[in-house]
Amino acid sequence: FTCDIQAQSQVNVAFRTNGKIAKRLVEVGDHVSADQVLAKLDPQEQRANLNNAQAALTSAEALMTQAKLNFKRQEQLLASGYTTRPSYDDAEQQLRTTQASVDSARAALGSAEEQYSYTDLKAGVDGIVLSRTFEVGQVVQTGQTVLAMAQDGPRDAVFNIFEAVLAAPPESRTVEVTLQADPRVKAVGRVREISPSVDAASGTVRVKVGLDATPKAMTLGAIVIGTGKFRPRQA
């Protein structure tokens, strides 16, 4: 039977924040790395939020510095007997409050920095771009798939076989796969998945054969011929 080569794992890539696409840096068929930037959103809104968070942290740190000085002053005065215990307690409480405000502002800044980083689209895995569904200037939503990628790694030979052929189990789950364009290129695979249902459109059953090692010539979409052996039977 003939079939084509497909990736065992496909990844749908989406932005993790809303925005308008400002740049597209890859095309279908490109090989990309996990940390490579594939597209960029207009970061105007996220940059403004980041600036606000940085300003809030600076303000909180200034208040904490002032509270520290006031607490040290009250501590010294209390030791000398020139202030009251309630004044010292108020200064200590004010210091703790401002410290909590700084911690909150730092967390808010970290969140703003994270949101700003989401304006760069990264796949997180090495692979090949199979398709894209966006253009520059398009507004996308969080989680909306914009790219489909074939992850680097093992490959499958995916067959569509008539159900009657599979009625009798094969003698072996090993399948020899040969490149149609060059019969000298061969690989060996094993049946790793048989669809439990028949495709309504084609009337066939999908069978995935995982290749033990994939020759370079067997690229994604390459047409191959699979040969397997069934048990002998009387005819």
Side-chain angles (χ1 to χ4, degrees), residues 1-3 157 159 172-179 183 185-191 209-212 218 224-229:
F1 298 95
T2 59
C3 73
F159 296 87
S172 171
R173 297 181 72 87
T174 302
V175 177
E176 183 181 87
V177 178
T178 305
L179 186 64
V185 179
K186 296 183 179 182
V188 176
R190 302 179 186 279
V191 177
V209 175
L211 302 182
D212 294 343
M218 289 187 183
V224 294
I225 300 171
T227 304
K229 292 183 179 180

Side-chain angles (χ1 to χ4, degrees), residues 56-72 91 94-104 106:
L57 177 59
T58 301
S59 176
E61 288 175 337
L63 291 174
M64 186 178 71
T65 300
Q66 184 179 0
K68 279 183 179 179
L69 294 174
N70 185 41
F71 174 71
K72 287 182 180 179
Q94 185 64 27
L95 177 59
R96 290 180 178 177
T97 301
T98 54
Q99 285 176 334
S101 298
V102 169
D103 292 340
S104 177
R106 282 177 181 160

Side-chain angles (χ1 to χ4, degrees), residues 153-166:
R155 297 289 187 245
D156 281 341
V158 182
F159 296 87
N160 292 311
I161 300 175
F162 287 104
E163 185 181 17
V165 177
L166 298 175

Side-chain angles (χ1 to χ4, degrees), residues 131-210:
S131 64
R132 64 175 176 83
T133 57
F134 72 96
E135 294 293 345
V136 174
Q138 180 179 341
V139 176
V140 295
Q141 302 297 318
T142 303
Q144 177 184 340
T145 299
V146 294
L147 287 173
M149 286 182 50
Q151 188 173 346
D152 285 352
R155 297 289 187 245
D156 281 341
V158 182
F159 296 87
N160 292 311
I161 300 175
F162 287 104
E163 185 181 17
V165 177
L166 298 175
E171 183 179 27
S172 171
R173 297 181 72 87
T174 302
V175 177
E176 183 181 87
V177 178
T178 305
L179 186 64
Q180 187 181 50
D182 185 356
R184 295 172 299 176
V185 179
K186 296 183 179 182
V188 176
R190 302 179 186 279
V191 177
R192 71 176 191 88
E193 181 182 313
I194 299 177
S195 175
S197 60
V198 177
D199 183 86
S202 63
T204 57
V205 176
R206 174 161 291 192
V207 177
K208 294 183 178 180
V209 175

Side-chain angles (χ1 to χ4, degrees), residues 16-17 45-47 49-51 53-54 57 103-119:
R16 299 173 68 177
T17 187
E45 180 182 350
Q46 287 79 7
R47 187 184 294 117
N49 292 337
L50 180 59
N51 292 338
Q54 289 172 335
L57 177 59
D103 292 340
S104 177
R106 282 177 181 160
L109 177 60
S111 178
E113 289 174 340
E114 189 173 13
Q115 289 295 320
Y116 184 78
S117 70
Y118 290 164
T119 59

